Amino acid sequence: MTNMDQTLAPSEVVEKARLAKQAAPKLNLLTTEQKNNALLRMADALVQEADSIIAANAEDLHRGRESGITTSLLDRLALNVQRIEAMAEGLRQVVALPDPIGDTLEEFERPNGLKIRKVRVPIGVIGMIYEARPNVTVDAAGLCLKTGNAVVLRGGSSALYSNKRIVEVLHAALAQTDVPTDALQLIMDPSRSSVDEMLKLNGLLDVLIPRGGASLIQNVVKNATVPVIETGAGICHTFIDESAQPDMALQIAINAKVQRPSVCNAMETLLVHRKFAERHLGIIGEQFTQHRVELRGNEAARKLVPSIAAASDKDWDTEYNDYILNVRVVDSLDEALEHIRRHGTMHSECIVTENAANAERFLTEVDAAAVYHNASTRFTDGFEFGFGAEIGISTQKLHARGPMGLPALTSSKFRIVGNGQIRG
Amino acid sequence: MTNMDQTLAPSEVVEKARLAKQAAPKLNLLTTEQKNNALLRMADALVQEADSIIAANAEDLHRGRESGITTSLLDRLALNVQRIEAMAEGLRQVVALPDPIGDTLEEFERPNGLKIRKVRVPIGVIGMIYEARPNVTVDAAGLCLKTGNAVVLRGGSSALYSNKRIVEVLHAALAQTDVPTDALQLIMDPSRSSVDEMLKLNGLLDVLIPRGGASLIQNVVKNATVPVIETGAGICHTFIDESAQPDMALQIAINAKVQRPSVCNAMETLLVHRKFAERHLGIIGEQFTQHRVELRGNEAARKLVPSIAAASDKDWDTEYNDYILNVRVVDSLDEALEHIRRHGTMHSECIVTENAANAERFLTEVDAAAVYHNASTRFTDGFEFGFGAEIGISTQKLHARGPMGLPALTSSKFRIVGNGQIRG
């Protein structure tokens, strides 16, 4: 299933994935101290080499401006001393996290005397496919190496020079440690074909983690034959129930939308119980308008607040990541649950209510990575959950679900010790 | 990503997958008692309807003989009263297993007062693609329903009538319980296209579990866009180290090969340290020959035991599932580790040694679901591990690895309870 048999010279992707795969077994044998030492060296090197990284980044920014990329993309791409120090600080925080590798997950003895122990082991080689932000390069390298995994990075072409310089700096740091430099690979081919190739690299890559917009993620999910951990897309809802405390409901709704609209755990649709809406939708609409949020609603919402525009069918399935919010007035908890079932992406969903039975139903029946009672969906995040840095937020149900810290980057194996047992 | 938008009438696969998906949320709300009651009714119904199931099976056997399928396939296909009682007994054993759904996996409170609880939930809809053995139909139905999952079964065309009758009997039993009959679906279309369709049914199926021969599994792994749990293929090795106790080594090797050669955890290649081989390979060869095992070896093995045939390059990568064994004499533990790295399928691997350091190196460095010291690889099995019935043995590293009992058929979600927390 790999390209290893081809007679032509292997592509950059195959060559680098092979080097990563060869390095992986060595990483598995490193102590926590050896890995932490490497991460600290990486952090120091980034700060020491900040000037050369910023110079490489300037090249990317220049090319980006020439090709007319948006200012928000330019902002995500731009590096300065503070941002590089933040990347280094991120690595130091990963050092401080407990190393899950080697942990005993289960341990038992069978009646025939077999001693069975399930232990955490690295996954092997992790492929990351992502977009413009160069800090993902550093975050992914740190999280993967801490968990004894080799990593093959394929960042966005707009950050090519920045990523190249960052990985050069990290390689130079690793060369002074026990972590093999081959464990960290960056794909330089900016064409689509290098992504396509990674998607089919069964036997060399153990998992692919896409991070970025919906189209990037869907391309990976739809076309990869390597196992994928799907991350990120979030059409998140907040349901304000009849019995909600008005102040709490308003604050949670505003926070879920405007505290950082561009991220996956921000709210896209506000569902409001009719009886609550009749008394409070006016003030809620005003508050959102003051925060410059454009509102699109169903008929029932527009009857109560005529300034709300009409929502199209498509709007309910759109992740705006922007100052736009759908508002739907519903007649019941059941109608809210049905709306979330049809339009949610199983990311983060919230109910604001003082009714314990309704809260219990919502938390049990909504099928999502994180379900909230009386708190903002913006908390779905590795740091907020206390896991430390995260490699992404899984919106699938296999392997990991929700914020993925270090344990999500591990697998397990059964170690069985006998004294000659055979099966009868 | 589903076919839900097409204007033509939906195919059998889409229609049944939709029904399963609609049933899934109801299953999530059932109590353990309700699910167990359904499983017991299913077990009773199978026994009561044994005659009609055997009659349907006779039709499959008749068609199989006419189309000239092998006797071993006919044997796997054949049902009798004992085998049907064994299927019913399998369901009763699943009843006796603890229900993982609702279990609290982690529980903690954050400094801001958020109470976070990670709980086990069903995966949703599980697609099973398998071959001739009709007992898989019953096993999969029992395991999936016990874990609150809906299941779409696509068995081998050779067992079509048997599976159809079995599912009719199970549906009739479910109709008298709180488990919706739509939770159990059997695809009747015997053509390849129904499998192809299942592979791409993202949005309706949450996971695919293939069970069967290597070509079936590889077809699913290579072509599915739905997440897959890869099972089964096993090229398993036993390494007899220099210091192994000769009797123990012989018994473990014979057991690993001949106790049941057709299964995935049977040994395909015996690696023998040169110093051990010089003294004992003759008697080992004799014993295997007495068990009618054909031996194929490397040069070093054939020098010591000339009756061993020459192994081809391909043999080392072949899962025989038969009375054929590769024998390779190696100079060191390192050579054995390297052989397993190149030719193993990460299923089950064994070292027989009295050297504790070598055992530790083998258990740590071999990358497989189950690694054994001084015990037969044949123990890699849900019952032998004490997990009860298994849905398969995962040979991949994500989600589940090794024998998969009920917990492998679950996902998790975070339930978060606050009192108005918003993110600053």
Side-chain angles (χ1 to χ4, degrees):
Chain A
M1 297 182 65
T2 70
N3 291 325
M4 297 186 60
D5 297 327
Q6 64 189 23
T7 46
L8 294 169
S11 69
E12 182 202 9
V13 170
V14 168
E15 196 166 349
K16 289 183 172 174
R18 274 190 206 164
L19 291 172
K21 189 179 165 79
Q22 283 164 19
K26 296 168 200 157
L27 285 171
N28 180 30
L29 302 178
L30 297 175
T31 64
T32 302
E33 195 185 352
Q34 287 172 309
K35 293 184 285 189
N36 282 345
N37 177 48
L39 265 58
L40 292 172
R41 292 249 187 179
M42 286 161 59
D44 292 346
L46 287 174
V47 175
Q48 281 157 23
E49 289 290 339
D51 288 349
S52 69
I53 294 169
I54 290 168
N57 182 247
E59 183 68 31
D60 282 329
L61 292 170
H62 174 72
R63 289 192 312 148
R65 274 186 218 99
E66 289 211 325
S67 64
I69 65 175
T70 64
T71 47
S72 80
L73 203 64
L74 282 171
D75 175 59
R76 268 179 277 173
L77 178 57
L79 293 177
N80 53 36
V81 170
Q82 287 72 34
R83 285 188 172 184
I84 290 171
E85 276 174 356
M87 298 191 305
E89 183 53 29
L91 289 174
R92 293 192 189 101
Q93 288 176 3
V94 174
V95 168
L97 292 173
D99 180 357
I101 299 301
D103 282 359
T104 296
L105 298 170
E106 294 173 44
E107 191 165 14
F108 49 96
E109 187 167 338
R110 298 293 302 150
N112 62 5
L114 283 183
K115 294 186 176 73
I116 303 183
R117 189 153 67 91
K118 185 177 180 182
V119 297
R120 274 200 199 277
V121 298
I123 289 176
V125 184
I126 294 172
M128 291 284 305
I129 298 175
Y130 53 104
E131 291 177 337
R133 284 165 35 183
N135 65 308
V136 177
T137 304
V138 176
D139 287 352
L143 291 164
C144 291
L145 295 179
K146 173 86 181 205
T147 43
N149 293 292
V151 61
V152 178
L153 301 169
R154 198 328 193 145
S157 56
S158 59
L160 194 64
Y161 289 93
S162 312
N163 287 335
K164 177 170 182 287
R165 184 62 199 145
I166 288 170
V167 170
E168 283 169 0
V169 168
L170 298 181
H171 274 165
L174 288 178
Q176 299 172 42
T177 74
D178 298 318
V179 173
T181 56
D182 280 346
L184 173 60
Q185 298 289 340
L186 176 71
I187 303 301
M188 294 295 298
D189 175 0
S191 74
R192 169 78 176 250
S193 70
S194 63
V195 170
D196 294 342
E197 213 175 344
M198 283 178 77
L199 302 186
K200 312 281 183 187
L201 224 53
N202 301 62
L204 290 180
L205 299 181
D206 291 291
V207 61
L208 286 170
I209 304 178
R211 271 184 69 173
S215 71
L216 179 148
I217 290 168
Q218 283 309 310
N219 176 44
V220 173
V221 169
K222 281 189 197 169
N223 297 304
T225 55
V226 173
V228 174
I229 301 181
E230 189 173 350
T231 71
I235 298 179
C236 302
H237 302 78
T238 299
F239 171 51
I240 304 180
D241 196 12
E242 180 180 354
S243 67
Q245 288 188 21
D247 278 358
M248 185 194 287
L250 178 64
Q251 285 195 18
I252 287 175
I254 295 282
N255 185 260
K257 183 71 226 178
V258 308
Q259 196 259 347
R260 199 170 169 200
S262 64
V263 294
C264 57
N265 57 21
M267 170 176 62
E268 305 298 355
T269 296
L270 179 65
L271 303 168
V272 188
H273 193 286
R274 178 184 301 278
K275 293 197 177 151
F276 187 96
E278 283 166 356
R279 277 178 290 160
H280 305 292
L281 193 60
I283 181 85
I284 289 178
E286 272 174 39
Q287 288 281 323
F288 274 111
T289 304
Q290 279 183 27
H291 282 92
R292 290 172 301 139
V293 175
E294 177 193 333
L295 300 177
R296 303 179 184 177
N298 69 345
E299 270 303 302
R302 300 180 69 215
K303 248 183 214 163
L304 294 169
V305 183
S307 64
I308 296 176
S312 72
D313 283 355
K314 204 181 147 207
D315 286 336
W316 308 106
D317 293 310
T318 300
E319 184 177 5
Y320 298 117
N321 286 338
D322 204 347
Y323 286 85
I324 308 172
L325 176 70
N326 301 316
V327 180
R328 178 167 173 173
V329 169
V330 297
D331 284 329
S332 64
L333 171 60
D334 283 301
E335 192 182 336
L337 291 171
E338 176 62 17
H339 182 97
I340 292 169
R341 202 186 65 74
R342 291 172 63 108
H343 302 286
T345 55
M346 307 201 296
H347 192 300
S348 299
E349 308 290 357
C350 167
I351 185 173
V352 186
T353 189
E354 295 300 305
N355 181 320
N358 284 1
E360 176 60 26
R361 274 197 68 198
F362 189 93
L363 296 185
T364 301
E365 295 184 30
V366 171
D367 187 15
V371 284
Y372 289 85
H373 174 209
N374 289 351
S376 166
T377 55
R378 286 282 294 113
F379 287 106
T380 305
D381 174 297
F383 282 107
E384 294 297 331
F385 277 26
F387 300 165
E390 67 182 24
I391 196 95
I393 296 173
S394 167
T395 51
Q396 65 176 33
K397 290 172 150 185
L398 290 191
H399 186 69
R401 197 176 194 197
M404 294 190 289
L406 294 174
L409 295 176
T410 68
S411 181
S412 62
K413 76 175 166 188
F414 289 104
R415 291 169 62 114
I416 302 126
V417 176
N419 48 16
Q421 284 85 347
I422 60 174
R423 189 155 168 191
Chain B
M1 294 184 67
T2 71
N3 292 326
M4 296 185 58
D5 298 328
Q6 64 189 23
T7 47
L8 293 170
S11 70
E12 181 202 10
V13 170
V14 168
E15 197 166 348
K16 290 184 171 173
R18 274 191 206 163
L19 290 172
K21 190 179 166 78
Q22 283 163 18
K26 296 169 200 156
L27 285 170
N28 180 30
L29 301 178
L30 296 176
T31 64
T32 302
E33 196 184 350
Q34 287 172 309
K35 293 184 284 188
N36 283 345
N37 176 48
L39 266 57
L40 291 173
R41 292 250 186 179
M42 286 161 60
D44 292 345
L46 288 174
V47 175
Q48 281 157 22
E49 289 291 338
D51 289 348
S52 70
I53 294 169
I54 290 168
N57 183 246
E59 183 69 31
D60 281 329
L61 291 170
H62 173 71
R63 289 192 311 148
R65 276 186 216 100
E66 289 211 325
S67 65
I69 64 175
T70 65
T71 47
S72 80
L73 203 63
L74 282 172
D75 175 60
R76 269 179 275 172
L77 178 55
L79 292 178
N80 53 35
V81 171
Q82 288 71 35
R83 284 187 173 185
I84 290 171
E85 277 174 356
M87 298 192 305
E89 183 53 29
L91 288 174
R92 293 191 189 102
Q93 288 176 3
V94 174
V95 169
L97 293 173
D99 180 359
I101 298 302
D103 282 358
T104 296
L105 299 169
E106 293 173 46
E107 191 165 14
F108 49 95
E109 187 168 338
R110 299 292 302 152
N112 61 5
L114 282 182
K115 293 187 176 72
I116 303 183
R117 188 154 67 92
K118 185 178 181 181
V119 297
R120 275 202 199 277
V121 298
I123 290 175
V125 184
I126 294 173
M128 291 284 306
I129 298 175
Y130 55 104
E131 290 177 337
R133 285 169 30 186
N135 65 309
V136 177
T137 304
V138 177
D139 288 352
L143 291 164
C144 291
L145 294 180
K146 173 86 180 205
T147 43
N149 293 291
V151 61
V152 178
L153 301 169
R154 202 316 194 156
S157 55
S158 59
L160 195 63
Y161 289 93
S162 312
N163 287 336
K164 178 170 180 286
R165 184 63 200 143
I166 288 170
V167 170
E168 282 168 1
V169 168
L170 298 181
H171 274 165
L174 289 178
Q176 298 171 43
T177 74
D178 298 318
V179 174
T181 55
D182 280 348
L184 172 61
Q185 297 289 341
L186 176 71
I187 303 300
M188 294 295 299
D189 175 359
S191 74
R192 170 78 177 251
S193 70
S194 63
V195 170
D196 294 344
E197 213 175 343
M198 283 179 76
L199 303 185
K200 312 281 185 188
L201 223 53
N202 303 63
L204 291 180
L205 301 180
D206 291 291
V207 62
L208 286 170
I209 304 178
R211 272 184 68 172
S215 71
L216 180 148
I217 290 168
Q218 282 311 308
N219 176 43
V220 173
V221 169
K222 281 188 196 167
N223 297 306
T225 54
V226 173
V228 174
I229 301 182
E230 189 172 349
T231 71
I235 297 179
C236 302
H237 301 79
T238 300
F239 171 52
I240 304 180
D241 196 12
E242 180 180 354
S243 67
Q245 287 187 21
D247 278 357
M248 185 194 288
L250 178 64
Q251 284 195 17
I252 286 174
I254 295 283
N255 185 260
K257 183 70 225 179
V258 308
Q259 196 259 348
R260 199 169 168 201
S262 63
V263 292
C264 58
N265 58 21
M267 169 175 65
E268 304 298 354
T269 297
L270 180 66
L271 304 168
V272 189
H273 192 286
R274 178 184 301 280
K275 292 198 177 149
F276 186 95
E278 282 166 357
R279 277 179 289 160
H280 304 293
L281 193 59
I283 182 82
I284 288 177
E286 273 173 38
Q287 288 281 323
F288 274 111
T289 304
Q290 279 182 26
H291 281 93
R292 291 172 300 138
V293 175
E294 177 192 334
L295 300 177
R296 302 179 184 177
N298 69 343
E299 270 303 304
R302 299 181 69 215
K303 247 183 214 161
L304 294 169
V305 182
S307 64
I308 296 175
S312 71
D313 283 355
K314 204 181 146 206
D315 287 336
W316 309 107
D317 292 311
T318 300
E319 183 177 6
Y320 298 117
N321 286 339
D322 204 346
Y323 286 84
I324 308 171
L325 177 70
N326 301 316
V327 180
R328 178 167 173 173
V329 169
V330 297
D331 284 328
S332 64
L333 171 61
D334 283 301
E335 194 182 334
L337 291 171
E338 177 62 18
H339 182 96
I340 291 168
R341 201 185 64 73
R342 291 171 62 108
H343 303 285
T345 55
M346 306 201 297
H347 191 300
S348 299
E349 308 289 357
C350 167
I351 184 172
V352 186
T353 189
E354 296 299 305
N355 181 320
N358 284 1
E360 175 61 26
R361 275 198 66 199
F362 189 93
L363 295 185
T364 301
E365 295 184 29
V366 171
D367 186 14
V371 285
Y372 289 86
H373 174 209
N374 290 351
S376 165
T377 55
R378 286 282 294 112
F379 287 106
T380 306
D381 174 298
F383 282 107
E384 294 296 330
F385 277 27
F387 301 166
E390 67 182 24
I391 195 94
I393 296 173
S394 166
T395 52
Q396 66 176 32
K397 292 172 148 184
L398 289 191
H399 186 69
R401 196 176 193 199
M404 294 190 288
L406 293 175
L409 294 176
T410 68
S411 182
S412 62
K413 76 175 166 187
F414 290 104
R415 291 169 62 114
I416 302 125
V417 176
N419 48 16
Q421 283 85 348
I422 59 173
R423 191 155 166 190

